[in-house]
Structure formats: structure tokens, C-alpha cells
Amino acid sequence: MTVEPILNDEKGRLEALEKYNLLDSMPADNYTSITEVIAAICVAPISLITLVDKERNFMKATQGIDVRETPRDDTLCLYTINNKADVTVIEDARVDKRFQNDPLIKDGEYGILRCRTIN
């Protein structure tokens, strides 16, 4: 994957993330319910609530995937963090050169076609 540069406000973003104490916590029913609703609305087999910390992408809740974390450099979410828009759409991550080394896409186990991420 092409690694995105770290943002100028990365320190503040990480401080805010730490403040909420959600990293390394078990998924709660309300978060899992959100992923179920999103998957249904988007007619998508996979839905995630992810938190990107300094070194990894932590999945707070998942639908259709059993992975709990990936390295920070192997995440679609870096593009959302760096995007000024509220929503980032990746139409087909399998053919997007930025994600050619992402193990969740490259190995084809999850076959992520479309990704919509929200800041």
C-alpha cells in the first residue's frame, strides 16, 4: 500500500482518540448494531467501525469479517483521515494501486470492492 503522510494535526487526533478509551476494548452491542445497520443499508457483506491509532487500525466493531486489527499502513482509513471531504469513496479497492499490498484486499478473502469511509 502507498503510505499516506501523517497529518499536521495528528497529535490532536491521537489525543482525542485516547480520551475516549475505546482502543483495545471489546465490541459493545450498540457498536455491533451500527455495523449491522450499515451493512444492511449499503447492501454490503462487510461493515466496520475502525479507530486508527499511531501504529494500527483497531476494529471496534465488525460485520462480516473476523479481523480485529491491521497495521496502520495497511488501512483504507488513512485516506479518509487525510481527505478533507466528509466521505471517501473507493469504487474498487482491488484495482486501486494505492491498496495493491493491503492483505485484506490482495489475498481476496474479503474482496473489498467499494469502500465508503466517514471522518
Side-chain angles (χ1 to χ4, degrees):
M1 176 175 310
T2 304
V3 179
E4 283 285 292
I6 295 175
L7 294 176
N8 292 335
D9 64 348
E10 180 72 353
K11 182 179 179 205
R13 190 189 70 76
L14 291 172
E15 287 172 355
L17 179 61
E18 195 172 308
K19 173 182 169 184
Y20 291 104
N21 264 344
L22 294 172
L23 292 170
D24 298 314
S25 58
M26 295 301 293
D29 288 341
N30 53 346
Y31 291 102
T32 301
S33 294
I34 292 168
T35 60
E36 292 170 355
V37 169
I38 298 286
I41 289 171
C42 295
V43 191
I46 298 172
S47 176
L48 311 168
I49 295 175
T50 61
L51 305 168
V52 181
D53 73 6
K54 192 160 52 171
E55 298 179 7
R56 68 196 167 125
N57 186 43
F58 171 71
M59 281 94 168
K60 175 65 180 159
T62 66
Q63 176 69 31
I65 191 172
D66 292 328
V67 176
R68 293 291 292 162
E69 68 179 54
T70 59
R72 178 186 168 116
D73 292 347
D74 291 336
T75 179
L76 299 162
C77 298
L78 285 181
Y79 291 89
T80 299
I81 292 170
N82 287 337
N83 190 345
K84 300 296 182 205
D86 291 334
V87 177
T88 301
V89 178
I90 300 163
E91 291 297 332
D92 190 339
R94 297 172 306 171
V95 297
D96 191 314
K97 291 183 183 200
R98 295 174 296 178
F99 311 113
Q100 64 188 2
N101 295 320
D102 184 318
L104 296 180
I105 298 166
K106 179 175 79 170
D107 297 341
E109 183 178 351
Y110 298 105
I112 298 171
L113 299 177
R114 176 175 282 212
C115 177
R116 293 180 188 266
T117 51
I118 303 170
N119 258 345

